[in-house]
Amino acid sequence: MSHKILLTAREVDIILHRLACQLIEKHLDFSETVLIGIQPRGSFVARRIKQILEDEYNVPQIELGLLDITFFRDDFRRGDKPLEANKTEINFIVENKKVIFIDDVLYTGRSIRSALTAIQSFGRPSEIELLVLIDRRFSRHLPIQPDYRGRQVDAINNEKVRVSWKENEGEDSVYIV
């Protein structure tokens, strides 16, 4: 299986900093804003963004939650192998808060649709935005677009975008496989 590198560790770091700056421009002190990483892969992006905002831009006390969408997916019972759920960790109410969903790759939009349904269990947000590291723009099945995108990728045919994280795979990188 051949793969082509799209982003190196340095480029991923630059993009994460740019995305953090875009969030600061719109949300300032984050007093009414919460970050929600979509499990499993969005949690890596969300934690990194939170760390950058707190450590490098001195934004205090950003609320970060992790949302599991497994049982809200429209393909939940369609696969041959059972899906394995992740843990939802939201220790705050999202009622009247600005919620920023964070994921690694936006592909068909179905994960985001699931997240929109799942978040309702935690209250009614005043607004929901979407931040993704990679936007596969020509692959949508649903009319969902990111508010913040790290990089737009045009993957064709059976090409897949694979994001590796230092915490999980030992390196930060993005490949087309």
Side-chain angles (χ1 to χ4, degrees), residues 9-10 17 19 34 37 67 74 95 107 128 140 147 155 176:
R10 187 175 186 324
H17 278 79
L19 291 169
V34 298
L67 181 64
D74 58 7
E95 188 75 29
Y107 183 31
I128 297 177
R140 268 339 153 262
D147 298 284
I176 285 191

Side-chain angles (χ1 to χ4, degrees), residues 68-130:
D68 178 53
I69 59 167
T70 303
F71 302 115
F72 295 92
R73 295 175 56 96
D74 58 7
D75 61 354
F76 170 58
R77 298 193 190 277
R78 293 179 183 232
D80 293 335
K81 62 179 184 174
L83 294 175
E84 199 169 307
N86 293 283
K87 190 174 182 183
T88 290
E89 297 176 23
I90 299 178
N91 302 322
F92 48 85
I93 302 295
V94 300
E95 188 75 29
N96 295 319
K97 296 278 188 178
K98 294 176 185 170
V99 169
I100 302 169
F101 282 147
I102 300 177
D103 209 355
D104 62 344
V105 179
L106 175 59
Y107 183 31
T108 63
R110 292 183 185 280
S111 293
I112 304 308
R113 191 221 38 92
S114 301
L116 289 166
T117 303
I119 198 67
Q120 293 174 22
S121 301
F122 298 92
R124 183 177 180 196
S126 65
E127 181 180 319
I128 297 177
E129 295 180 331
L130 175 59

Side-chain angles (χ1 to χ4, degrees), residues 44-84:
F44 297 110
V45 186
R47 286 184 178 115
R48 291 278 190 90
I49 294 282
K50 180 181 191 279
Q51 182 180 11
I52 291 168
L53 289 168
E54 289 178 345
D55 295 350
E56 299 183 33
Y57 297 103
N58 300 317
V59 179
Q61 300 175 342
I62 298 172
E63 300 239 53
L64 171 65
L66 304 177
L67 181 64
D68 178 53
I69 59 167
T70 303
F71 302 115
F72 295 92
R73 295 175 56 96
D74 58 7
D75 61 354
F76 170 58
R77 298 193 190 277
R78 293 179 183 232
D80 293 335
K81 62 179 184 174
L83 294 175
E84 199 169 307

Side-chain angles (χ1 to χ4, degrees), residues 144-176:
I144 292 174
Q145 299 299 320
D147 298 284
Y148 312 93
R149 79 173 46 91
R151 175 95 177 258
Q152 208 164 47
V153 174
D154 299 332
I156 57 171
N157 300 328
N158 293 329
E159 293 178 329
K160 296 186 181 208
V161 175
R162 193 182 86 218
V163 179
S164 298
W165 293 103
K166 184 173 29 182
E167 300 89 340
N168 204 30
E169 290 94 2
E171 69 167 347
D172 290 341
S173 60
V174 179
Y175 293 94
I176 285 191

